[in-house]
Amino acid sequence: MTLRERLREKISAAFYHHGLLCASYPVPIILFTSASILTCCYPLLRLPLPGTGPVEFTTGVRDYTVPSHEPQGDLGERPDWYRGPPVAYIQQVLVKAAVSPWDSSLVPVDVFRSPLGRVFSLLEEIRNHVHSDSTGVRSLEALCLQVTDLLPGLRRMQSVLPEHGCLLVSPGNYWQNQRELFDSDPDPLKTIQKHEPKGLHTSATLRDLLFGVPGKHTGVSHYNRKRVVTYTITVVLVSYDTRFLGSLRSRLKQLHPSANCSLRDDHMVHVHFKEEIGIAELIPLVTTYIILFAYIYFSTRKIDMVKSKWGLALAAVVTVLSSLLMSVGLCTLFGLTPTLNGGEIFPYLVVVIGLENVLVLTKSVVSTPVDLEVKLRIAQGLSNESWSIMKNMATELCIILIGYFTLVPAIQEFCLFAVVGLVSDFFLQMFFFTTVLSIDIRRMELADLNRRLPAEAGLPPPKPGPLRPREAPPPPRPSPHTITLQTPAFRNLRLPKRLRVVYFLARTRLAQRIIMVGTVIWIGILVYTDPAGLRTYLAAQVSEQSPLGDSGGGGLPPHLGVAPVFHAGDPTSTLSVLPAPEPTPLPENQSQGHHGSAGAGPRPQVPPAVPQITWGAEDEEGWRRLSFRHWPSLFSYYNITLAKRYISILPVIPVTLHLSPQEAIETRHPQDTRHPPPPIPKVSADLQTDLTLYKVAALGLAAGVLLVLLLFCLYRVLCPRNYGQNGVAHGRRRRGDLPCDDYGYSPPVSEISPLLLRGHSMDIECLASDGMLLASCCLAGQIRVWDAQTGDCLTVIPNHGLRRSSSSGCWEQRDGWDNCHLLRRRSVPARPTLFTDQPDLTPLIDTNFTCQPPSHLATPPRGGFDFGGLVERAYLEHESPSPSTYPSPSSAASSSPPSAAHLQRRRSLGDAPTLPAQDRASTAGTQATADWDSSVWAMELRGNLIAAGRSSGKLELWDAVEGSLRCSNEDGVSGITALAFLNNRIVAARLNGSLDFFTVEINKPLGLLQYRGAPGRGSMPPSPCYSSEDVISCQLTRSVQCAHQKPITVLRAAAGRVVTGSQDHTVRVYRLEDSCCLFTLQGHSGGITAIYIDQTMVLASGGQDGAICLWDVLTGSRVSHVYGHRGDVTSLVCTTSCVISSGLDDLICIWDRSTGIKLYSIQQEVGCGASLGVISESLLVTGGQGCVSFWDLNFGDLLQTVYLGQSSDGQGVRQLLVLDNAAIVCDFGSELSLVYVPSVLEKLD
Amino acid sequence: MTTNLVIRGTMLFSVGVFLALVLNLLQVQRNVTLFPPDVISSIFSSAWWVPPCCGTASAMIGLLYPCIDSRLGEPHKFKREWSSVMRCVAVFVGINHASAKVDFANNVQLSLTLAALSIGLWWTFDRSRSGFGLGIGIALLATLATQLLVYNGVFQYTSPDFLYIRSWLPCIFFAGVITMGNIGRQLALYEYKVVQEKTHQD
């Protein structure tokens, strides 16, 4: 034993034990795993949230030093980004200028022209400022941030933004910092507007950049009531020099003193910017994520054979994700701060770690033997794959280690993360995923058990419930026990998984709630961290309340903030009504008319207003009112990124400029006066703000209405038309007293009690019905006619074969008996309770039945053949002497093939064409009246005529009520395999492939003399009845000799067409009137086994190849072609929207009729696949082992299972017939079961 | 049959164009740290012929691989699943990402690392001799073509380090060829299945 093998064995054993452990204690292990995940992720809480705005940190100016690069641990509040020098220092010179005193001869342009003009001299001053002391001479040129080219894409800004020099920004940049250009500019406002971007722009505009204050606060407009112009000169410095800045500050203050300025100048603010993610950077990121999701999708799609595919896929994804989080958390814990962008490397990490192990585990566990215990299955599955898992893991670790030795820091870091991620992934796979898998497998087995429980036990559900006899006329029913709906947990819903998830989501409104909560949290975070958001607002509120705050309104808009200044000294200013024509606007000042004396007084005396320049707290950090993208965008124009770096903003230098009216007039451009006077606002500013509010509200309302309309239209377009109708239909059901299922859907079937029709002695072979009568024929050849309404046996047409059977050979008898006997033994293995009340049969054995046929007829042979063990014994005793005592053998002999399933018989016959010959031989010597030797292979019922096709090729017409043979036809010799009876025509398909058309002629005109039972509720017209006096003859009108090359297996007639399907792979369509062949439909690659055609000319066929074809009967073209089954298609039914097929694989598939897409499938019990029927558009009924099940077709939902009898052991429902009055007839061994579906009847009304 | 070929070619072409655009964006990001608003438009306008060329090349490669597989008579059996293909594409994008974003000490290191990664890609997802040979051949051809283009001044790199071009180019080409071949083989497999089904029908 090599080392490798030993190692392998050990690993395998370890995995086995581990699997046992996981499957034994699932809950503690999951708890343990969750706890360890949370512990490992705990360090992540310290990492910053992505997507928030810039962060600030304030230090004092006085003792400022450039922070060192090394992190200093003890400086508690200092953020960790505050390291090293900033990208730049920002020094703003805040200029407030006003023309004072205001003169009525001034035009609006004067408000800003001359104040703006002063910027050039200020600029000059700043540029030329030189500080010289003992350490040397410093000028701005040496200290400022030298910028080079603008980015190539910004050519249009070249004229405005500085290039190749100091980054010094002021409104003067609009005029290239040249006074002459400004003076010759006829319209400065237009120049400013020219550079504004069109459309909505949220980030910093050029105007904001140059003015340094938000646009509406500059006061550069025609409608500036304050007549104060505010702008800044922004100097960007690359290094901090206290003395130079101090001298500049004092110089400016000295030149332009600000009287009432109390701005604090001892704080500098450092602003740290997060990484910016632009669209261009987002595209590769999004691509990688799309690839990642595709990978996850394709991987999890392979998970199969488990209870909840989605649950396992989720568990797999959770495993991978939490292993990544764990790896990041662990790395952070051990001091490795991630420098890589987590979002970028994340997809690659997932891809490296992969979902393969998880899938391999699942597959391995699922492929273990099902009959093992869950624990052992998990353990075995784990140990099977242990070696490959370990090998893969080792390989991956090796690759990553190689990557670690590339010595590239970024790759090294990636590898480190990947290693930790791999190890934690392995841990999670072993503990978390294995446990989840064990839980899932256990659930699946439980579900299997639940599904099998009712059928296997064969017991009525636990609910005892008194046996409620039906109120129907015939009271003595053999134990009609009702079965109420099972509890939802027991019901096996056949909905596709994805639909179930969608329904679950829809029911709980989970997605909406999560989105809502997420949005609220996100908005909260944004509002709190946004620089212009809550925090600033709170700060403003605090400063407003503090006594240090300016006289009223720190955080309020300026025109309100200044108001109180005038309020006291200017009580008479009432400006509600304004004088109309005046060359200059009325100097309306800030104290707006709250006074009611508007109309009362004469023209108010307007006092000469003095524009007041005030300095408030809001000016202290005026940059806060700018967009937080202001500085990044300014720097980005020069290809300098602020991402993950910080800038330091120095306290502003206030500059107050008072200009005389004289100066203002002097600096006027000749065109300035030509400007029309601004439209005089008719309302006060207060009202105006109100109006703005109203406008916003109205706009919002309009937008809301529009949105609602849009959504409505979308809804109408997208939602299916019958969406609402469905709801109505559901509402019409009495939801109150019916049990609702999980989806609020109440099943239409409330309670169902089967009627058992007993009387046949052997398994029932043929069933036919016309809605009112029901004819059945058993293997013994006995035909019984029942009332489909009440279940009464009306007529018995016995098989008189015993008379003839005595003349037959002994061996045939023996064979037949053996066959029959075996059959009985197989199908009735244990029925002891039934036998207790049966008459003692031992005397009958010695009785010669031939002596007493009438009595035999009079009493229905109840249990006549249920000899069971008694007969077996008797048979052994009397092996040779009198075989003729047994009534059944002869018929059983000729109909030996039917001991198998109906369909199988047909197939076997097709393969063995020797049988008809034998039949023929046996029929040769019989009389012309009735043929008792051959068995009935096909039967049809119309009116009160039963058409029976026999294996001898004879067609018989019986009177259903009287039980007399009306006529027979022996034109054909080949066995009749299928019959169709439509109007007065009978079509018979024969074993040799020929097709015979018969006409039934009634010599006396047919009249509806006889009234039999209640008229059918169905829409079908009542079948013609033939009175007993009529002489009925049956004429062969046409015989198509070679309709098919091989035996005809299926024959269906509807809508004036006869459709035959044969073993020769073709389907033929004939016209009923003239028996003319219209089409030969080819397309199947196997014999045809099922055909469906209805009044609406829908034709579907299914073959031995498992294919289903839909045909257009009018053109003979194939509409669709799907492969649905492994093995033969045994039965086909169409509704208006779907096609239902069942196959030998015991699967019922429901297809969409128009698209041919499989909607879902229902697994049937073995041997019951062929029995299915559609009661209404949405109700499907299928047969099972001793029960029939009702399904909702729309949802694939099991509505109800009805057990047909108490002793329903192992008897499958092989045939199922849906009658017009919403009853179902199914054969059930030797019994028939008539099941009414009452609520469907109500619906039909 | 031909329609199938056309469909496959179209799909491969679109994949190639898409990847070319995205990866070009990655490369542009390396030179420009922060995007001003009009960079995107300039990317799409500068060399419009690059994405179509890449698309055509990838369509050819993607069709060539299954074709050669069938000619050689050694069908590719290794990891024929869509999830594996997706993994391959992700690793390819990752290699590009690394070449664009990671700061390497020198170009030799960069080239060696990328070469190792590319070989790793081949070994993880392909492992066929024909794939390796075809990959090497096409990578060399493409590098030569690029060299010619640059030499004629149609196109140029911001910082060429080896005879007018970037030395990592062959590695990227090789990885791209392997990836496109993988996708093409998977698509061909799908078609093969369809054909099988058809024969089954008939």
Side-chain angles (χ1 to χ4, degrees):
Chain A
M1 190 187 260
T2 62
L3 178 73
R4 184 186 147 99
E5 278 170 5
R6 254 182 296 162
L7 188 67
R8 189 167 175 165
E9 204 163 275
K10 277 203 174 136
I11 288 175
S12 177
F15 271 70
Y16 190 84
H17 290 303
H18 176 76
L20 275 184
L21 177 80
C22 283
S24 308
Y25 307 102
V27 178
I29 284 179
I30 284 197
L31 286 180
F32 161 71
T33 327
S34 316
S36 47
I37 291 175
L38 289 180
T39 323
C40 291
C41 293
Y42 175 70
L44 291 179
L45 288 180
R46 274 187 272 158
L47 290 181
L49 278 175
T52 50
V55 245
E56 292 168 15
F57 178 59
T58 310
T59 54
V61 169
R62 242 171 269 286
D63 50 351
Y64 172 78
T65 50
V66 176
S68 63
H69 279 283
E70 284 71 41
Q72 291 146 339
D74 54 336
L75 297 169
E77 60 184 30
R78 170 179 287 198
D80 51 358
W81 49 262
Y82 185 59
R83 257 183 245 159
V87 178
Y89 298 91
I90 308 277
Q91 176 66 67
Q92 284 193 307
V93 179
L94 181 59
V95 181
K96 289 199 176 191
V99 178
S100 73
W102 186 257
D103 197 332
S104 59
S105 65
L106 294 175
V107 293
V109 183
D110 291 328
V111 173
F112 53 84
R113 182 174 270 280
S114 55
L116 275 183
R118 291 293 282 270
V119 76
F120 300 101
S121 57
L122 271 172
L123 276 175
E124 204 70 12
E125 182 65 40
I126 293 170
R127 270 185 203 283
N128 298 336
H129 182 77
V130 172
H131 174 74
S132 57
D133 61 359
S134 56
T135 55
V137 179
R138 292 178 193 82
S139 68
L140 188 69
E141 279 296 317
L143 292 173
C144 75
L145 181 74
Q146 300 283 345
V147 291
T148 54
D149 282 334
L150 281 169
L151 272 188
L154 299 165
R155 299 278 170 230
R156 60 187 174 80
M157 289 194 176
Q158 226 168 12
S159 60
V160 199
L161 287 173
E163 271 189 307
H164 305 287
C166 271
L167 184 53
L168 183 69
V169 186
S170 73
N173 284 83
Y174 279 120
W175 299 275
Q176 279 88 46
N177 291 332
Q178 288 168 29
R179 178 85 200 215
E180 300 77 46
L181 286 178
F182 178 70
D183 284 340
S184 58
D185 189 359
D187 193 352
L189 270 185
K190 203 172 160 190
T191 314
I192 293 170
Q193 283 297 332
K194 196 173 68 187
H195 292 283
E196 288 307 290
K198 307 282 183 299
L200 193 66
H201 212 272
T202 49
S203 70
T205 61
L206 190 66
R207 180 177 174 152
D208 288 347
L209 285 181
L210 295 188
F211 276 89
V213 284
K216 60 177 178 179
H217 295 167
T218 56
V220 183
S221 75
H222 289 298
Y223 315 113
N224 180 13
R225 293 202 187 76
K226 262 170 72 184
R227 305 208 180 86
V228 177
V229 172
T230 314
Y231 55 87
T232 62
I233 299 170
T234 307
V235 187
V236 181
L237 303 168
V238 78
S239 60
Y240 182 71
D241 192 308
T242 328
R243 274 164 290 204
F244 175 77
L245 286 174
S247 76
L248 180 68
R249 178 180 291 268
S250 51
R251 168 78 181 155
L252 287 176
K253 275 189 171 176
Q254 182 197 343
L255 280 176
H256 309 283
S258 306
N260 51 358
C261 177
S262 61
L263 295 187
R264 296 161 70 196
D265 54 358
D266 53 348
H267 279 100
M268 62 197 290
V269 183
H270 311 278
V271 184
H272 178 256
F273 293 93
K274 294 283 165 55
E275 183 133 24
E276 296 261 332
I277 298 181
I279 293 175
E281 282 165 324
L282 226 52
I283 291 174
L285 203 65
V286 167
T287 312
T288 51
Y289 272 90
I290 289 174
I291 295 173
L292 174 69
F293 281 122
Y295 168 62
I296 290 178
Y297 169 74
F298 283 121
S299 299
T300 52
R301 206 172 62 160
K302 287 185 290 186
I303 297 179
D304 216 347
M305 293 281 293
V306 290
K307 170 77 181 161
S308 155
K309 205 171 164 175
W310 280 87
L312 272 192
L314 187 72
V317 174
V318 163
T319 306
V320 172
L321 291 194
S322 46
S323 69
L324 281 178
L325 287 181
M326 276 171 81
S327 79
V328 178
L330 285 175
C331 287
T332 328
L333 190 68
F334 292 111
L336 289 162
T337 43
T339 55
L340 294 173
N341 185 342
E344 269 176 26
I345 62 165
F346 178 76
Y348 303 122
L349 275 176
V350 172
V351 166
V352 164
I353 290 175
L355 291 164
E356 264 70 21
N357 269 352
V358 167
L359 302 179
V360 164
L361 268 184
T362 314
K363 207 174 272 176
S364 158
V365 168
V366 163
S367 58
T368 50
V370 187
D371 50 344
L372 281 181
E373 209 182 327
V374 175
K375 262 197 277 190
L376 298 179
R377 281 185 77 186
I378 297 280
Q380 219 172 65
L382 268 184
S383 73
N384 282 348
E385 286 301 325
S386 58
W387 182 244
S388 74
I389 287 178
M390 289 311 280
K391 220 166 60 179
N392 275 340
M393 170 118 174
T395 323
E396 282 179 347
L397 282 179
C398 277
I399 291 175
I400 289 172
L401 273 184
I402 292 170
Y404 192 77
F405 287 111
T406 51
L407 300 178
V408 180
I411 293 185
Q412 276 180 330
E413 195 182 327
F414 181 84
C415 290
L416 207 63
F417 275 122
V419 166
V420 182
L422 264 184
V423 172
S424 49
D425 184 53
F426 181 71
F427 165 75
L428 284 184
Q429 272 168 16
M430 285 301 110
F431 283 92
F432 178 71
F433 189 77
T434 313
T435 319
V436 170
L437 193 63
S438 78
I439 293 175
D440 185 85
I441 299 262
R442 189 165 289 137
R443 272 181 64 209
M444 183 168 76
E445 298 204 338
L446 273 181
D448 274 4
L449 210 63
N450 279 345
R451 202 177 55 191
R452 243 177 266 152
L453 199 62
E456 278 179 354
L459 294 171
K463 186 177 176 183
L467 300 183
R468 272 183 282 173
R470 275 175 58 91
E471 288 95 39
R477 291 273 160 252
S479 70
H481 59 284
T482 59
I483 290 155
T484 49
L485 211 62
Q486 292 167 326
T487 54
F490 265 74
R491 291 169 50 202
N492 191 11
L493 302 175
R494 292 289 173 174
L495 224 50
K497 289 267 169 50
R498 57 179 191 284
L499 271 186
R500 272 197 246 176
V501 170
V502 168
Y503 283 151
F504 173 75
L505 290 182
R507 202 167 61 241
T508 54
R509 310 278 188 278
L510 207 60
Q512 277 140 296
R513 284 179 192 169
I514 289 174
I515 289 172
M516 223 161 67
V517 169
T519 317
V520 166
I521 292 174
W522 181 65
I523 289 175
I525 289 173
L526 274 192
V527 163
Y528 187 69
T529 53
D530 190 41
L534 191 65
R535 225 162 16 166
T536 2
Y537 179 69
L538 288 179
Q541 290 291 321
V542 168
S543 69
E544 189 185 0
Q545 283 162 7
S546 68
L548 282 177
D550 190 51
S551 53
L556 299 175
H559 65 274
L560 287 178
V562 191
V565 178
F566 280 83
H567 198 266
D570 190 22
T572 55
S573 65
T574 55
L575 292 172
S576 308
V577 178
L578 292 168
E582 258 198 3
T584 57
L586 258 191
E588 6 149 9
N589 56 27
Q590 286 76 11
S591 63
Q592 283 91 11
H594 291 290
H595 313 277
S597 60
R603 283 268 302 271
Q605 184 74 41
V606 180
V610 180
Q612 198 77 10
I613 293 172
T614 54
W615 292 92
E618 81 273 9
D619 296 322
E620 203 168 277
E621 286 172 338
W623 52 268
R624 281 193 197 282
R625 286 181 297 190
L626 295 166
S627 153
F628 70 96
R629 291 196 41 107
H630 184 87
W631 303 116
S633 52
L634 175 64
F635 282 92
S636 72
Y637 290 155
Y638 298 98
N639 200 8
I640 300 169
T641 178
L642 290 186
K644 292 185 173 177
R645 295 159 85 181
Y646 76 100
I647 55 170
S648 302
I649 298 172
L650 303 173
V652 294
I653 302 172
V655 167
T656 311
L657 296 174
H658 286 283
L659 293 99
S660 64
Q662 204 61 39
E663 194 185 343
I665 290 168
E666 277 167 15
T667 53
R668 260 189 208 166
H669 189 267
Q671 286 198 340
D672 280 357
T673 46
R674 272 183 238 153
H675 279 293
I680 298 155
K682 292 275 195 296
V683 283
S684 63
D686 255 358
L687 256 173
Q688 204 171 23
T689 51
D690 280 358
L691 210 67
T692 334
L693 259 179
Y694 291 141
K695 270 185 202 160
V696 168
L699 213 67
L701 199 70
V705 168
L706 201 71
L707 199 71
V708 166
L709 283 178
L710 197 74
L711 283 181
F712 182 72
C713 290
L714 266 179
Y715 171 81
R716 291 308 295 265
V717 170
L718 291 182
C719 278
R721 300 250 177 271
N722 55 0
Y723 190 73
Q725 289 161 10
N726 257 349
V728 170
H730 287 193
R732 258 177 51 193
R733 292 187 185 120
R734 299 165 300 163
R735 290 182 63 158
D737 40 7
L738 286 177
C740 293
D741 69 354
D742 291 346
Y743 312 121
Y745 167 74
S746 43
V749 186
S750 58
E751 76 178 43
I752 290 168
S753 50
L755 282 177
L756 280 191
L757 313 183
R758 288 190 179 147
H760 277 294
S761 48
M762 295 182 73
D763 278 7
I764 287 160
E765 151 112 55
C766 302
L767 261 181
S769 165
D770 67 342
M772 283 170 260
L773 290 182
L774 178 66
S776 63
C777 175
C778 70
L779 284 181
Q782 189 186 49
I783 298 174
R784 277 173 175 262
V785 182
W786 315 79
D787 187 333
Q789 303 282 330
T790 61
D792 292 331
C793 181
L794 299 176
T795 323
V796 180
I797 301 166
N799 189 349
H800 304 283
L802 30 148
R803 220 169 291 141
R804 238 157 309 281
S805 66
S806 55
S807 64
S808 301
C810 178
W811 282 111
E812 197 185 353
Q813 308 264 340
R814 273 298 306 276
D815 285 348
W817 174 248
D818 273 347
N819 209 330
C820 177
H821 171 65
L822 285 175
L823 179 81
R824 303 307 308 165
R825 215 167 40 170
R826 193 195 59 207
S827 56
V828 195
R831 209 187 269 189
T833 50
L834 204 72
F835 291 138
T836 50
D837 56 350
Q838 297 301 327
D840 191 7
L841 291 166
T842 34
L844 284 178
I845 295 176
D846 290 329
T847 314
N848 191 354
F849 279 121
T850 51
C851 310
Q852 40 175 349
S855 67
H856 186 231
L857 281 179
T859 57
R862 280 184 66 167
F865 287 92
D866 292 327
F867 300 129
L870 298 171
V871 177
E872 189 175 1
R873 190 159 40 88
Y875 174 67
L876 287 172
E877 282 168 11
H878 308 270
E879 191 161 23
S880 54
S882 60
S884 62
T885 45
Y886 307 107
S888 72
S890 68
S891 61
S894 54
S895 64
S896 56
S899 61
H902 197 60
L903 172 103
Q904 282 158 347
R905 181 203 69 175
R906 281 184 181 156
R907 282 210 304 162
S908 66
L909 275 186
D911 299 333
T914 51
L915 266 171
Q918 183 192 351
D919 283 337
R920 194 177 162 186
S922 66
T923 29
T926 56
Q927 303 101 317
T929 50
D931 177 16
W932 304 111
D933 276 347
S934 56
S935 63
V936 176
W937 276 2
M939 191 166 69
E940 271 293 309
L941 177 65
R942 275 293 166 267
N944 54 354
L945 277 185
I946 299 172
R950 289 188 175 268
S951 55
S952 58
K954 195 166 156 185
L955 179 73
E956 295 171 349
L957 282 179
W958 295 80
D959 190 307
V961 181
E962 294 173 2
S964 57
L965 182 67
R966 301 304 294 268
C967 82
S968 70
N969 189 306
E970 287 177 80
D971 289 341
V973 286
S974 185
I976 294 176
T977 55
L979 269 179
F981 197 165
L982 213 66
N983 302 329
N984 59 345
R985 280 171 180 272
I986 298 174
V987 185
R990 294 186 190 270
L991 204 54
N992 60 4
S994 64
L995 196 64
D996 291 351
F997 290 79
F998 297 95
T999 312
V1000 178
E1001 281 168 16
I1002 303 134
N1003 290 357
K1004 233 177 84 177
L1006 68 140
L1008 298 168
L1009 305 170
Q1010 223 171 349
Y1011 178 77
R1012 300 170 298 115
R1017 292 171 190 253
S1019 54
M1020 258 185 72
S1023 316
C1025 289
Y1026 309 97
S1027 68
S1028 53
E1029 299 91 49
D1030 295 343
V1031 180
I1032 294 172
S1033 65
C1034 182
Q1035 299 290 331
L1036 177 67
T1037 48
R1038 171 134 193 245
S1039 177
V1040 183
Q1041 271 313 322
C1042 267
H1044 287 280
Q1045 267 82 35
K1046 287 190 174 171
I1048 295 172
T1049 49
V1050 213
L1051 173 72
R1052 292 277 184 278
R1057 297 284 183 277
V1058 176
V1059 185
T1060 57
S1062 158
Q1063 292 268 336
D1064 63 0
H1065 304 193
T1066 57
V1067 176
R1068 284 190 171 212
V1069 182
Y1070 294 87
R1071 196 151 50 206
L1072 189 60
E1073 299 96 62
D1074 52 2
S1075 47
C1076 159
C1077 178
L1078 298 176
F1079 303 110
T1080 301
L1081 309 176
Q1082 287 172 329
H1084 282 281
S1085 51
I1088 309 297
T1089 50
I1091 282 181
Y1092 176 88
I1093 183 169
D1094 65 11
Q1095 290 297 320
T1096 55
M1097 291 267 202
V1098 177
L1099 176 58
S1101 63
Q1104 282 174 342
D1105 51 351
I1108 298 161
C1109 293
L1110 289 182
W1111 309 89
D1112 184 357
V1113 181
L1114 296 177
T1115 61
S1117 59
R1118 192 164 72 184
V1119 179
S1120 69
H1121 181 224
V1122 288
Y1123 280 99
H1125 296 279
R1126 288 192 300 272
D1128 302 9
V1129 176
T1130 52
S1131 162
L1132 261 181
V1133 178
C1134 296
T1135 68
T1136 51
S1137 60
C1138 51
V1139 179
I1140 302 141
S1141 67
S1142 70
L1144 268 192
D1145 51 358
D1146 295 317
L1147 211 60
I1148 292 184
C1149 296
I1150 286 87
W1151 313 80
D1152 188 71
R1153 207 170 99 183
S1154 50
T1155 60
I1157 294 169
K1158 182 150 95 172
L1159 298 174
Y1160 52 92
S1161 60
I1162 300 170
Q1163 179 70 48
Q1164 281 286 95
E1165 284 162 70
V1166 179
C1168 303
S1171 54
L1172 68 93
V1174 172
I1175 298 177
S1176 72
E1177 208 36 51
S1178 62
L1179 197 60
L1180 171 74
V1181 56
T1182 63
Q1185 294 283 344
C1187 60
V1188 287
S1189 304
F1190 295 89
W1191 306 82
D1192 187 315
L1193 261 183
N1194 300 325
F1195 298 98
D1197 203 355
L1198 175 62
L1199 296 173
Q1200 191 167 13
T1201 300
V1202 175
Y1203 291 92
L1204 299 176
Q1206 278 165 326
S1207 52
S1208 57
D1209 37 6
Q1211 280 279 36
V1213 172
R1214 288 205 310 265
Q1215 284 188 68
L1216 204 147
L1217 206 64
V1218 176
L1219 306 185
D1220 293 325
N1221 51 0
I1224 308 155
V1225 184
C1226 40
D1227 78 326
F1228 171 54
S1230 64
E1231 294 160 357
L1232 282 175
S1233 189
L1234 191 59
V1235 184
Y1236 282 96
V1237 195
S1239 56
V1240 174
L1241 282 182
E1242 286 162 24
K1243 248 183 90 178
L1244 284 176
D1245 291 338
Chain B
M1 204 63 185
T2 42
T3 51
N4 238 317
L5 207 69
V6 169
I7 290 172
R8 265 198 295 158
T10 323
M11 284 173 77
L12 286 165
F13 179 80
S14 51
V15 168
V17 168
F18 179 70
L19 279 181
L21 282 175
V22 168
L23 300 179
N24 194 17
L25 215 57
L26 269 176
Q27 295 293 339
V28 169
Q29 270 183 33
R30 177 147 178 89
N31 299 329
V32 187
T33 45
L34 205 67
F35 280 91
D38 8 25
V39 166
I40 295 177
S41 54
S42 66
I43 285 171
F44 288 117
S45 65
S46 65
W48 59 268
W49 48 268
V50 171
C53 278
C54 291
T56 316
S58 56
M60 280 167 55
I61 293 164
L63 296 177
L64 200 62
Y65 258 76
C67 179
I68 284 194
D69 276 348
S70 64
R71 281 287 155 78
L72 288 182
E74 39 186 35
H76 191 238
K77 288 266 166 51
F78 186 69
K79 284 192 186 173
R80 305 303 300 266
E81 284 161 347
W82 273 113
S83 63
S84 162
V85 172
M86 281 298 144
R87 225 178 164 186
C88 179
V89 174
V91 171
F92 173 61
V93 175
I95 288 175
N96 274 277
H97 205 137
S99 79
K101 282 279 172 82
V102 177
D103 293 312
F104 288 92
N106 51 35
N107 282 314
V108 177
Q109 199 183 27
L110 169 70
S111 305
L112 283 181
T113 312
L114 287 188
L117 281 174
S118 307
I119 302 288
L121 181 84
W122 168 78
W123 194 74
T124 324
F125 297 106
D126 193 319
R127 290 197 205 178
S128 67
R129 279 178 298 128
S130 62
F132 191 77
L134 208 59
I136 293 273
I138 293 176
L140 288 182
L141 268 180
T143 317
L144 198 69
T146 327
Q147 174 82 1
L148 283 176
L149 282 179
V150 173
Y151 189 72
N152 289 328
V154 183
F155 191 65
Q156 73 180 35
Y157 286 94
T158 46
S159 52
D161 56 44
F162 174 74
L163 291 178
Y164 305 111
I165 56 166
R166 303 297 300 262
S167 53
W168 43 258
L169 209 59
C171 306
I172 296 284
F173 276 135
F174 179 74
V177 168
I178 297 289
T179 308
M180 291 320 293
N182 226 329
I183 298 177
R185 277 169 169 169
Q186 193 65 33
L187 286 175
L189 186 76
Y190 187 71
E191 183 189 351
Y192 178 67
K193 267 182 194 162
V194 169
V195 168
Q196 251 187 346
E197 257 171 35
K198 263 189 190 155
T199 51
H200 177 73
Q201 279 175 29
D202 304 334

